[in-house]
Amino acid sequence: MPPEAISRISRLEIQARQVVEGFLSGQHRSPYFGQSIEFVQHREYVPGDDIRRVDWKVWSKTDKYYIKQYEEETNLRTSILVDASESMQFGSGDTTKFDYASTVAAALTYLLLRQQDAVSLSVFDEDIRTRTPSRSQQTHLGAILSVLAVQNPSQKTDMSRILRSVADEKSQRGMVVVISDLFVPPDDLFKGLRMLRKRGHDVLLFHILDDQELDFDFAGTTRFEGLEETGSLTCDPKSLREGYQSALQAFLEELRTRCARNVIDYQTIRTSEPIDAVLRHYMNHRVGLRGSLRQ
């Protein structure tokens, strides 16, 4: 593996650990637990577990630490899909959309594995480039980071085909987290998303956009180089700003409306937004999902 890839793996792991540990330390309780109603089994204590959940009666008899585990804490499988098409190369600052998406995927993976949930990763453009199996072992983090570290965004996106492929291969219901800039025809996108929902999957859509894509604060004559074979344009961006933002807001509103109609959790994410805010949205969604499943 090239030295730059090894360095990127190390950076991703450090970022994921810092984000997740900082996020969890700011919670008054574990964001996953506290909602459970039916005891299922014990599992061995691992460093980082809340000691308040240790079964001290078992410890008094075995001299070993075990955590009480409940029905809601078991059997969650999450599939993370990361867009690596050419448009994800864009970044107005030091961080590209793909860099940000990779960090979100790494942090989610670390959080899921820390809770002993199973997680898989797929990286895609026109096709699924690579995928990891679904695993819950802590060592699986390294496998996922190794995949993210060697990706170079290119090609177009065929979202309908990608989501159909995921729906066909995922026979067991679970959560699917899509991380993308969603520069695809909405009809193609929702054709795939509806298929995932029809198969019983819960879907969470993180729409990653750079600040400049949202604010369009360019000044002076600017040459815009289109990605994914969309050509180039030299113009005064001020003359385009009003029309651009109007079209963008209409696009975002269409996504929000169609996601709500199909019971898909949608969130627009700026690349300047702290990663822990993304984790908070994920956790709120997960707790809400489990609450609805109990009703």
Side-chain angles (χ1 to χ4, degrees), residues 78-79 81 120-122 131-134 165-174 176 196 199 201:
T78 299
S79 302
L81 313 183
S120 65
L121 172 78
S122 296
R131 56 166 59 93
T132 68
S134 184
S165 174
V166 172
D168 288 342
E169 77 172 47
K170 301 292 182 183
S171 58
Q172 184 174 350
R173 293 180 181 181
V176 178
L196 287 171
R199 301 289 171 84
H201 298 293

Side-chain angles (χ1 to χ4, degrees), residues 14-186:
I14 291 171
Q15 287 175 322
R17 289 180 182 276
Q18 288 178 338
V19 168
V20 173
E21 296 301 336
F23 171 75
L24 292 181
S25 68
Q27 305 299 297
H28 294 296
R29 63 178 180 179
S30 168
Y32 283 21
F33 307 132
Q35 301 290 323
S36 303
I37 56 174
E38 185 175 344
F39 172 75
V40 174
Q41 63 188 16
H42 288 94
R43 65 168 173 80
E44 287 194 51
Y45 171 88
V46 295
D49 282 334
D50 188 344
I51 62 171
R52 292 174 297 181
R53 299 178 61 249
V54 171
D55 191 326
W56 297 108
K57 290 183 179 179
V58 173
W59 169 80
S60 67
K61 296 176 181 178
T62 66
D63 201 30
K64 293 182 179 180
Y65 298 105
Y66 285 90
I67 294 292
K68 290 182 178 179
Q69 199 167 24
Y70 295 85
E71 183 178 15
E72 291 183 359
E73 301 167 356
T74 60
N75 300 325
L76 179 71
R77 292 175 178 268
T78 299
S79 302
I80 301 175
L81 313 183
V82 178
D83 184 353
S85 61
E86 190 175 15
S87 63
M88 294 291 285
Q89 286 184 356
F90 180 72
S92 57
D94 295 331
T95 302
T96 67
K97 288 183 287 185
F98 183 75
D99 291 336
Y100 190 90
S102 295
T103 306
V104 170
L108 279 175
T109 297
Y110 182 78
L111 181 61
L112 288 162
L113 295 178
R114 191 179 184 279
Q115 301 289 348
Q116 299 187 339
D117 287 323
V119 58
S120 65
L121 172 78
S122 296
V123 179
F124 67 90
D125 44 46
E126 289 181 306
D127 297 296
I128 293 181
R129 294 184 179 187
T130 184
R131 56 166 59 93
T132 68
S134 184
R135 298 282 186 271
S136 59
Q137 296 87 349
Q138 287 289 329
T139 53
H140 193 43
L141 177 65
I144 286 180
L145 297 184
S146 296
V147 168
L148 292 169
V150 297
Q151 304 302 318
N152 182 31
S154 62
Q155 306 299 325
K156 296 181 180 180
T157 311
D158 189 340
M159 190 69 81
S160 178
R161 180 167 59 169
I162 297 304
L163 297 179
R164 183 173 64 248
S165 174
V166 172
D168 288 342
E169 77 172 47
K170 301 292 182 183
S171 58
Q172 184 174 350
R173 293 180 181 181
M175 182 182 292
V176 178
V177 180
V178 181
I179 307 173
S180 170
D181 59 12
L182 301 180
F183 287 150
V184 295

Side-chain angles (χ1 to χ4, degrees), residues 264-278:
I264 293 166
D265 196 330
Y266 168 87
Q267 186 75 8
T268 305
I269 307 291
R270 289 176 175 263
T271 52
S272 61
E273 190 171 352
I275 300 292
D276 61 353
V278 183

Side-chain angles (χ1 to χ4, degrees), residues 157 159-160 163 181-194 205 207 247-248 250-259 261-262 264:
T157 311
M159 190 69 81
S160 178
L163 297 179
D181 59 12
L182 301 180
F183 287 150
V184 295
D187 287 345
D188 289 347
L189 171 65
F190 283 95
K191 186 183 299 181
L193 291 174
R194 282 194 298 269
L205 200 56
H207 189 184
L248 176 63
F251 174 62
L252 297 180
E253 184 58 32
E254 179 182 2
L255 292 181
R256 283 190 287 265
T257 300
R258 295 179 71 170
C259 280
R261 189 181 305 149
N262 289 279
I264 293 166

